[in-house]
PDB file of all heavy atoms in Angstrom:
ATOM      1  N   TYR A  20       9.234  20.108 -15.198  1.00  0.00           N
ATOM      2  CA  TYR A  20       9.513  18.888 -14.719  1.00  0.00           C
ATOM      3  C   TYR A  20      10.453  18.245 -15.646  1.00  0.00           C
ATOM      4  O   TYR A  20      10.578  18.315 -16.754  1.00  0.00           O
ATOM      5  CB  TYR A  20       8.138  18.075 -14.713  1.00  0.00           C
ATOM      6  CG  TYR A  20       8.420  16.634 -14.211  1.00  0.00           C
ATOM      7  CD1 TYR A  20       8.482  16.250 -12.855  1.00  0.00           C
ATOM      8  CD2 TYR A  20       8.504  15.593 -15.188  1.00  0.00           C
ATOM      9  CE1 TYR A  20       8.636  15.001 -12.447  1.00  0.00           C
ATOM     10  CE2 TYR A  20       8.752  14.309 -14.746  1.00  0.00           C
ATOM     11  CZ  TYR A  20       8.839  14.054 -13.377  1.00  0.00           C
ATOM     12  OH  TYR A  20       8.905  12.715 -12.952  1.00  0.00           O
ATOM     13  N   ALA A  21      11.498  17.460 -15.024  1.00  0.00           N
ATOM     14  CA  ALA A  21      12.524  16.780 -15.875  1.00  0.00           C
ATOM     15  C   ALA A  21      12.865  15.538 -15.147  1.00  0.00           C
ATOM     16  O   ALA A  21      12.876  15.285 -13.953  1.00  0.00           O
ATOM     17  CB  ALA A  21      13.765  17.771 -15.988  1.00  0.00           C
ATOM     18  N   GLN A  22      13.260  14.538 -16.058  1.00  0.00           N
ATOM     19  CA  GLN A  22      13.852  13.209 -15.615  1.00  0.00           C
ATOM     20  C   GLN A  22      13.108  12.470 -14.597  1.00  0.00           C
ATOM     21  O   GLN A  22      13.692  12.174 -13.488  1.00  0.00           O
ATOM     22  CB  GLN A  22      15.353  13.507 -15.246  1.00  0.00           C
ATOM     23  CG  GLN A  22      16.097  14.132 -16.447  1.00  0.00           C
ATOM     24  CD  GLN A  22      17.535  14.297 -16.008  1.00  0.00           C
ATOM     25  OE1 GLN A  22      17.872  14.345 -14.916  1.00  0.00           O
ATOM     26  NE2 GLN A  22      18.302  14.499 -17.000  1.00  0.00           N
ATOM     27  N   GLN A  23      11.875  12.202 -14.876  1.00  0.00           N
ATOM     28  CA  GLN A  23      11.129  11.345 -13.916  1.00  0.00           C
ATOM     29  C   GLN A  23      10.113  10.613 -14.684  1.00  0.00           C
ATOM     30  O   GLN A  23       9.480  11.138 -15.624  1.00  0.00           O
ATOM     31  CB  GLN A  23      10.439  12.213 -12.908  1.00  0.00           C
ATOM     32  CG  GLN A  23       9.717  11.352 -11.806  1.00  0.00           C
ATOM     33  CD  GLN A  23       9.168  12.204 -10.637  1.00  0.00           C
ATOM     34  OE1 GLN A  23       9.512  13.418 -10.491  1.00  0.00           O
ATOM     35  NE2 GLN A  23       8.444  11.671  -9.752  1.00  0.00           N
ATOM     36  N   VAL A  24       9.892   9.232 -14.327  1.00  0.00           N
ATOM     37  CA  VAL A  24       8.848   8.592 -14.961  1.00  0.00           C
ATOM     38  C   VAL A  24       7.782   8.360 -13.930  1.00  0.00           C
ATOM     39  O   VAL A  24       7.990   7.806 -12.768  1.00  0.00           O
ATOM     40  CB  VAL A  24       9.393   7.157 -15.381  1.00  0.00           C
ATOM     41  CG1 VAL A  24       8.359   6.300 -15.912  1.00  0.00           C
ATOM     42  CG2 VAL A  24      10.547   7.342 -16.391  1.00  0.00           C
ATOM     43  N   ALA A  25       6.422   8.559 -14.268  1.00  0.00           N
ATOM     44  CA  ALA A  25       5.498   8.418 -13.287  1.00  0.00           C
ATOM     45  C   ALA A  25       4.616   7.202 -13.642  1.00  0.00           C
ATOM     46  O   ALA A  25       4.515   6.944 -14.926  1.00  0.00           O
ATOM     47  CB  ALA A  25       4.533   9.677 -13.357  1.00  0.00           C
ATOM     48  N   LEU A  26       4.052   6.535 -12.798  1.00  0.00           N
ATOM     49  CA  LEU A  26       3.246   5.342 -12.981  1.00  0.00           C
ATOM     50  C   LEU A  26       1.989   5.495 -12.262  1.00  0.00           C
ATOM     51  O   LEU A  26       1.906   5.651 -10.997  1.00  0.00           O
ATOM     52  CB  LEU A  26       3.968   4.021 -12.499  1.00  0.00           C
ATOM     53  CG  LEU A  26       3.142   2.842 -12.534  1.00  0.00           C
ATOM     54  CD1 LEU A  26       2.787   2.479 -13.947  1.00  0.00           C
ATOM     55  CD2 LEU A  26       3.888   1.649 -11.893  1.00  0.00           C
ATOM     56  N   ALA A  27       0.794   5.485 -13.006  1.00  0.00           N
ATOM     57  CA  ALA A  27      -0.473   5.531 -12.446  1.00  0.00           C
ATOM     58  C   ALA A  27      -1.028   3.990 -12.386  1.00  0.00           C
ATOM     59  O   ALA A  27      -1.254   3.400 -13.300  1.00  0.00           O
ATOM     60  CB  ALA A  27      -1.434   6.395 -13.133  1.00  0.00           C
ATOM     61  N   SER A  28      -1.357   3.474 -11.194  1.00  0.00           N
ATOM     62  CA  SER A  28      -1.737   2.126 -11.095  1.00  0.00           C
ATOM     63  C   SER A  28      -3.179   1.921 -11.218  1.00  0.00           C
ATOM     64  O   SER A  28      -3.880   2.852 -11.589  1.00  0.00           O
ATOM     65  CB  SER A  28      -1.144   1.597  -9.751  1.00  0.00           C
ATOM     66  OG  SER A  28       0.265   1.637  -9.605  1.00  0.00           O
ATOM     67  N   ASP A  29      -3.797   0.694 -10.905  1.00  0.00           N
ATOM     68  CA  ASP A  29      -5.066   0.402 -11.115  1.00  0.00           C
ATOM     69  C   ASP A  29      -5.978   1.302 -10.543  1.00  0.00           C
ATOM     70  O   ASP A  29      -5.906   1.593  -9.291  1.00  0.00           O
ATOM     71  CB  ASP A  29      -5.288  -1.029 -10.664  1.00  0.00           C
ATOM     72  CG  ASP A  29      -6.644  -1.561 -10.942  1.00  0.00           C
ATOM     73  OD1 ASP A  29      -7.312  -0.948 -11.734  1.00  0.00           O
ATOM     74  OD2 ASP A  29      -7.029  -2.575 -10.349  1.00  0.00           O
ATOM     75  N   GLY A  30      -7.004   1.902 -11.168  1.00  0.00           N
ATOM     76  CA  GLY A  30      -8.036   2.746 -10.615  1.00  0.00           C
ATOM     77  C   GLY A  30      -7.674   4.176 -10.270  1.00  0.00           C
ATOM     78  O   GLY A  30      -8.486   4.833  -9.661  1.00  0.00           O
ATOM     79  N   VAL A  31      -6.420   4.575 -10.470  1.00  0.00           N
ATOM     80  CA  VAL A  31      -5.990   5.839 -10.173  1.00  0.00           C
ATOM     81  C   VAL A  31      -6.453   6.867 -11.083  1.00  0.00           C
ATOM     82  O   VAL A  31      -6.540   6.561 -12.369  1.00  0.00           O
ATOM     83  CB  VAL A  31      -4.512   6.038  -9.909  1.00  0.00           C
ATOM     84  CG1 VAL A  31      -4.012   7.416  -9.796  1.00  0.00           C
ATOM     85  CG2 VAL A  31      -4.015   5.084  -8.975  1.00  0.00           C
ATOM     86  N   LYS A  32      -7.040   8.075 -10.766  1.00  0.00           N
ATOM     87  CA  LYS A  32      -7.462   9.131 -11.640  1.00  0.00           C
ATOM     88  C   LYS A  32      -6.721  10.352 -11.385  1.00  0.00           C
ATOM     89  O   LYS A  32      -6.621  10.823 -10.221  1.00  0.00           O
ATOM     90  CB  LYS A  32      -9.026   9.427 -11.384  1.00  0.00           C
ATOM     91  CG  LYS A  32      -9.561  10.382 -12.401  1.00  0.00           C
ATOM     92  CD  LYS A  32     -11.044  10.548 -12.206  1.00  0.00           C
ATOM     93  CE  LYS A  32     -11.707  11.433 -13.186  1.00  0.00           C
ATOM     94  NZ  LYS A  32     -13.050  11.596 -13.236  1.00  0.00           N
ATOM     95  N   LEU A  33      -5.942  10.786 -12.361  1.00  0.00           N
ATOM     96  CA  LEU A  33      -5.124  12.063 -12.280  1.00  0.00           C
ATOM     97  C   LEU A  33      -5.889  13.212 -12.852  1.00  0.00           C
ATOM     98  O   LEU A  33      -6.475  12.971 -13.978  1.00  0.00           O
ATOM     99  CB  LEU A  33      -3.888  11.958 -13.019  1.00  0.00           C
ATOM    100  CG  LEU A  33      -3.031  10.637 -12.522  1.00  0.00           C
ATOM    101  CD1 LEU A  33      -1.588  10.661 -13.256  1.00  0.00           C
ATOM    102  CD2 LEU A  33      -2.693  10.809 -11.046  1.00  0.00           C
ATOM    103  N   VAL A  34      -5.928  14.411 -12.222  1.00  0.00           N
ATOM    104  CA  VAL A  34      -6.619  15.499 -12.674  1.00  0.00           C
ATOM    105  C   VAL A  34      -5.633  16.662 -12.929  1.00  0.00           C
ATOM    106  O   VAL A  34      -4.845  16.992 -12.136  1.00  0.00           O
ATOM    107  CB  VAL A  34      -7.847  15.906 -11.738  1.00  0.00           C
ATOM    108  CG1 VAL A  34      -8.391  17.230 -12.187  1.00  0.00           C
ATOM    109  CG2 VAL A  34      -8.586  14.787 -11.385  1.00  0.00           C
ATOM    110  N   VAL A  35      -5.658  17.206 -14.185  1.00  0.00           N
ATOM    111  CA  VAL A  35      -4.901  18.353 -14.644  1.00  0.00           C
ATOM    112  C   VAL A  35      -5.789  19.563 -14.751  1.00  0.00           C
ATOM    113  O   VAL A  35      -6.680  19.560 -15.463  1.00  0.00           O
ATOM    114  CB  VAL A  35      -4.124  18.071 -15.944  1.00  0.00           C
ATOM    115  CG1 VAL A  35      -3.308  19.316 -16.152  1.00  0.00           C
ATOM    116  CG2 VAL A  35      -3.265  16.921 -15.775  1.00  0.00           C
ATOM    117  N   GLU A  36      -5.527  20.608 -13.841  1.00  0.00           N
ATOM    118  CA  GLU A  36      -6.343  21.852 -13.896  1.00  0.00           C
ATOM    119  C   GLU A  36      -5.759  22.746 -15.008  1.00  0.00           C
ATOM    120  O   GLU A  36      -4.731  22.525 -15.517  1.00  0.00           O
ATOM    121  CB  GLU A  36      -6.285  22.456 -12.526  1.00  0.00           C
ATOM    122  CG  GLU A  36      -6.913  21.609 -11.482  1.00  0.00           C
ATOM    123  CD  GLU A  36      -8.379  21.334 -11.711  1.00  0.00           C
ATOM    124  OE1 GLU A  36      -9.058  22.164 -12.349  1.00  0.00           O
ATOM    125  OE2 GLU A  36      -8.857  20.352 -11.204  1.00  0.00           O
ATOM    126  N   PRO A  37      -6.457  23.876 -15.474  1.00  0.00           N
ATOM    127  CA  PRO A  37      -6.095  24.679 -16.452  1.00  0.00           C
ATOM    128  C   PRO A  37      -4.717  25.254 -16.204  1.00  0.00           C
ATOM    129  O   PRO A  37      -4.429  25.530 -14.953  1.00  0.00           O
ATOM    130  CB  PRO A  37      -7.151  25.758 -16.469  1.00  0.00           C
ATOM    131  CG  PRO A  37      -8.481  24.998 -16.004  1.00  0.00           C
ATOM    132  CD  PRO A  37      -7.852  24.131 -14.914  1.00  0.00           C
ATOM    133  N   GLY A  38      -4.044  25.343 -17.101  1.00  0.00           N
ATOM    134  CA  GLY A  38      -2.549  25.812 -17.001  1.00  0.00           C
ATOM    135  C   GLY A  38      -1.675  24.967 -17.832  1.00  0.00           C
ATOM    136  O   GLY A  38      -2.043  24.151 -18.627  1.00  0.00           O
ATOM    137  N   THR A  39      -0.334  25.251 -17.777  1.00  0.00           N
ATOM    138  CA  THR A  39       0.609  24.614 -18.711  1.00  0.00           C
ATOM    139  C   THR A  39       1.453  23.657 -17.790  1.00  0.00           C
ATOM    140  O   THR A  39       2.121  24.162 -16.844  1.00  0.00           O
ATOM    141  CB  THR A  39       1.433  25.526 -19.451  1.00  0.00           C
ATOM    142  OG1 THR A  39       0.621  26.374 -20.282  1.00  0.00           O
ATOM    143  CG2 THR A  39       2.445  24.873 -20.256  1.00  0.00           C
ATOM    144  N   LYS A  40       1.521  22.510 -18.201  1.00  0.00           N
ATOM    145  CA  LYS A  40       2.419  21.413 -17.457  1.00  0.00           C
ATOM    146  C   LYS A  40       3.392  20.834 -18.449  1.00  0.00           C
ATOM    147  O   LYS A  40       2.965  20.579 -19.620  1.00  0.00           O
ATOM    148  CB  LYS A  40       1.482  20.233 -16.932  1.00  0.00           C
ATOM    149  CG  LYS A  40       0.776  20.672 -15.648  1.00  0.00           C
ATOM    150  CD  LYS A  40      -0.549  21.504 -15.980  1.00  0.00           C
ATOM    151  CE  LYS A  40      -1.172  22.001 -14.760  1.00  0.00           C
ATOM    152  NZ  LYS A  40      -2.312  22.775 -15.152  1.00  0.00           N
ATOM    153  N   ILE A  41       4.655  20.705 -18.087  1.00  0.00           N
ATOM    154  CA  ILE A  41       5.665  20.365 -19.057  1.00  0.00           C
ATOM    155  C   ILE A  41       6.339  19.145 -18.560  1.00  0.00           C
ATOM    156  O   ILE A  41       6.674  19.032 -17.427  1.00  0.00           O
ATOM    157  CB  ILE A  41       6.733  21.397 -19.244  1.00  0.00           C
ATOM    158  CG1 ILE A  41       6.109  22.785 -19.860  1.00  0.00           C
ATOM    159  CG2 ILE A  41       7.950  20.993 -20.145  1.00  0.00           C
ATOM    160  CD1 ILE A  41       6.991  23.928 -19.856  1.00  0.00           C
ATOM    161  N   VAL A  42       6.336  18.126 -19.455  1.00  0.00           N
ATOM    162  CA  VAL A  42       7.060  16.759 -19.050  1.00  0.00           C
ATOM    163  C   VAL A  42       8.291  16.647 -19.878  1.00  0.00           C
ATOM    164  O   VAL A  42       8.145  16.709 -21.163  1.00  0.00           O
ATOM    165  CB  VAL A  42       6.194  15.661 -19.144  1.00  0.00           C
ATOM    166  CG1 VAL A  42       6.856  14.313 -18.838  1.00  0.00           C
ATOM    167  CG2 VAL A  42       4.868  15.767 -18.352  1.00  0.00           C
ATOM    168  N   THR A  43       9.390  16.459 -19.425  1.00  0.00           N
ATOM    169  CA  THR A  43      10.567  16.247 -20.208  1.00  0.00           C
ATOM    170  C   THR A  43      11.443  15.084 -19.735  1.00  0.00           C
ATOM    171  O   THR A  43      11.358  14.759 -18.655  1.00  0.00           O
ATOM    172  CB  THR A  43      11.630  17.499 -20.161  1.00  0.00           C
ATOM    173  OG1 THR A  43      11.984  17.569 -18.659  1.00  0.00           O
ATOM    174  CG2 THR A  43      10.914  18.814 -20.437  1.00  0.00           C
ATOM    175  N   GLU A  44      12.137  14.456 -20.660  1.00  0.00           N
ATOM    176  CA  GLU A  44      13.050  13.375 -20.365  1.00  0.00           C
ATOM    177  C   GLU A  44      12.445  12.172 -19.703  1.00  0.00           C
ATOM    178  O   GLU A  44      13.188  11.217 -19.213  1.00  0.00           O
ATOM    179  CB  GLU A  44      14.177  13.949 -19.344  1.00  0.00           C
ATOM    180  CG  GLU A  44      15.294  14.750 -20.128  1.00  0.00           C
ATOM    181  CD  GLU A  44      16.047  13.968 -20.974  1.00  0.00           C
ATOM    182  OE1 GLU A  44      16.029  12.824 -21.000  1.00  0.00           O
ATOM    183  OE2 GLU A  44      16.830  14.690 -21.896  1.00  0.00           O
ATOM    184  N   GLY A  45      11.177  12.090 -19.750  1.00  0.00           N
ATOM    185  CA  GLY A  45      10.529  10.898 -19.019  1.00  0.00           C
ATOM    186  C   GLY A  45       9.492  10.344 -19.775  1.00  0.00           C
ATOM    187  O   GLY A  45       9.117  10.634 -20.948  1.00  0.00           O
ATOM    188  N   GLY A  46       8.656   9.510 -19.072  1.00  0.00           N
ATOM    189  CA  GLY A  46       7.419   9.050 -19.620  1.00  0.00           C
ATOM    190  C   GLY A  46       6.301   8.914 -18.615  1.00  0.00           C
ATOM    191  O   GLY A  46       6.656   8.945 -17.430  1.00  0.00           O
ATOM    192  N   ILE A  47       5.073   8.531 -19.034  1.00  0.00           N
ATOM    193  CA  ILE A  47       3.980   8.248 -18.096  1.00  0.00           C
ATOM    194  C   ILE A  47       3.397   6.930 -18.560  1.00  0.00           C
ATOM    195  O   ILE A  47       3.030   6.782 -19.659  1.00  0.00           O
ATOM    196  CB  ILE A  47       2.913   9.408 -18.065  1.00  0.00           C
ATOM    197  CG1 ILE A  47       3.658  10.805 -18.039  1.00  0.00           C
ATOM    198  CG2 ILE A  47       1.865   9.301 -17.148  1.00  0.00           C
ATOM    199  CD1 ILE A  47       2.631  11.974 -18.233  1.00  0.00           C
ATOM    200  N   SER A  48       3.324   6.035 -17.574  1.00  0.00           N
ATOM    201  CA  SER A  48       2.743   4.785 -17.847  1.00  0.00           C
ATOM    202  C   SER A  48       1.402   4.641 -17.016  1.00  0.00           C
ATOM    203  O   SER A  48       1.300   4.842 -15.815  1.00  0.00           O
ATOM    204  CB  SER A  48       3.650   3.698 -17.401  1.00  0.00           C
ATOM    205  OG  SER A  48       4.910   3.666 -18.099  1.00  0.00           O
ATOM    206  N   PHE A  49       0.292   4.273 -17.737  1.00  0.00           N
ATOM    207  CA  PHE A  49      -0.931   4.077 -17.103  1.00  0.00           C
ATOM    208  C   PHE A  49      -1.212   2.653 -17.194  1.00  0.00           C
ATOM    209  O   PHE A  49      -1.000   1.968 -18.208  1.00  0.00           O
ATOM    210  CB  PHE A  49      -2.050   4.852 -17.927  1.00  0.00           C
ATOM    211  CG  PHE A  49      -2.026   6.431 -17.615  1.00  0.00           C
ATOM    212  CD1 PHE A  49      -1.106   7.133 -18.290  1.00  0.00           C
ATOM    213  CD2 PHE A  49      -2.792   6.953 -16.564  1.00  0.00           C
ATOM    214  CE1 PHE A  49      -1.073   8.469 -17.912  1.00  0.00           C
ATOM    215  CE2 PHE A  49      -2.659   8.248 -16.328  1.00  0.00           C
ATOM    216  CZ  PHE A  49      -1.860   9.071 -17.072  1.00  0.00           C
ATOM    217  N   ARG A  50      -1.797   1.973 -16.130  1.00  0.00           N
ATOM    218  CA  ARG A  50      -2.114   0.562 -16.168  1.00  0.00           C
ATOM    219  C   ARG A  50      -3.640   0.363 -15.770  1.00  0.00           C
ATOM    220  O   ARG A  50      -4.143   1.232 -14.981  1.00  0.00           O
ATOM    221  CB  ARG A  50      -1.287  -0.033 -15.067  1.00  0.00           C
ATOM    222  CG  ARG A  50       0.159  -0.126 -15.395  1.00  0.00           C
ATOM    223  CD  ARG A  50       0.521  -0.954 -16.602  1.00  0.00           C
ATOM    224  NE  ARG A  50       1.988  -0.941 -16.870  1.00  0.00           N
ATOM    225  CZ  ARG A  50       2.648  -0.061 -17.717  1.00  0.00           C
ATOM    226  NH1 ARG A  50       1.861   0.791 -18.436  1.00  0.00           N
ATOM    227  NH2 ARG A  50       3.913  -0.138 -17.917  1.00  0.00           N
ATOM    228  N   ASP A  51      -4.225  -0.625 -16.333  1.00  0.00           N
ATOM    229  CA  ASP A  51      -5.509  -1.131 -15.991  1.00  0.00           C
ATOM    230  C   ASP A  51      -6.549   0.017 -16.193  1.00  0.00           C
ATOM    231  O   ASP A  51      -6.767   0.556 -17.124  1.00  0.00           O
ATOM    232  CB  ASP A  51      -5.624  -1.709 -14.561  1.00  0.00           C
ATOM    233  CG  ASP A  51      -4.584  -2.718 -14.454  1.00  0.00           C
ATOM    234  OD1 ASP A  51      -4.355  -3.668 -15.237  1.00  0.00           O
ATOM    235  OD2 ASP A  51      -3.757  -2.799 -13.357  1.00  0.00           O
ATOM    236  N   ASN A  52      -7.216   0.361 -15.097  1.00  0.00           N
ATOM    237  CA  ASN A  52      -8.278   1.347 -15.218  1.00  0.00           C
ATOM    238  C   ASN A  52      -8.012   2.787 -14.835  1.00  0.00           C
ATOM    239  O   ASN A  52      -8.971   3.654 -14.745  1.00  0.00           O
ATOM    240  CB  ASN A  52      -9.493   0.991 -14.286  1.00  0.00           C
ATOM    241  CG  ASN A  52     -10.046  -0.477 -14.650  1.00  0.00           C
ATOM    242  OD1 ASN A  52     -10.233  -0.702 -15.715  1.00  0.00           O
ATOM    243  ND2 ASN A  52     -10.311  -1.320 -13.468  1.00  0.00           N
ATOM    244  N   SER A  53      -6.762   3.174 -14.857  1.00  0.00           N
ATOM    245  CA  SER A  53      -6.397   4.383 -14.643  1.00  0.00           C
ATOM    246  C   SER A  53      -6.591   5.337 -15.690  1.00  0.00           C
ATOM    247  O   SER A  53      -6.507   5.022 -16.898  1.00  0.00           O
ATOM    248  CB  SER A  53      -4.782   4.481 -14.348  1.00  0.00           C
ATOM    249  OG  SER A  53      -4.438   3.695 -13.309  1.00  0.00           O
ATOM    250  N   ILE A  54      -6.932   6.629 -15.519  1.00  0.00           N
ATOM    251  CA  ILE A  54      -7.331   7.591 -16.466  1.00  0.00           C
ATOM    252  C   ILE A  54      -6.761   9.019 -16.033  1.00  0.00           C
ATOM    253  O   ILE A  54      -6.372   9.282 -14.962  1.00  0.00           O
ATOM    254  CB  ILE A  54      -8.943   7.816 -16.682  1.00  0.00           C
ATOM    255  CG1 ILE A  54      -9.634   8.222 -15.437  1.00  0.00           C
ATOM    256  CG2 ILE A  54      -9.509   6.442 -17.243  1.00  0.00           C
ATOM    257  CD1 ILE A  54     -11.010   8.486 -15.621  1.00  0.00           C
TER     258      ILE A  54
END
Side-chain angles (χ1 to χ4, degrees):
Y20 175 81
Q22 298 182 344
Q23 184 174 351
V24 177
L26 171 66
S28 298
D29 184 16
V31 175
K32 185 172 184 178
L33 303 180
V34 180
V35 177
E36 297 301 330
T39 301
K40 286 79 185 174
I41 299 176
V42 182
T43 64
E44 287 285 349
I47 310 173
S48 296
F49 286 81
R50 298 289 183 265
D51 302 319
N52 298 318
S53 300
I54 61 173

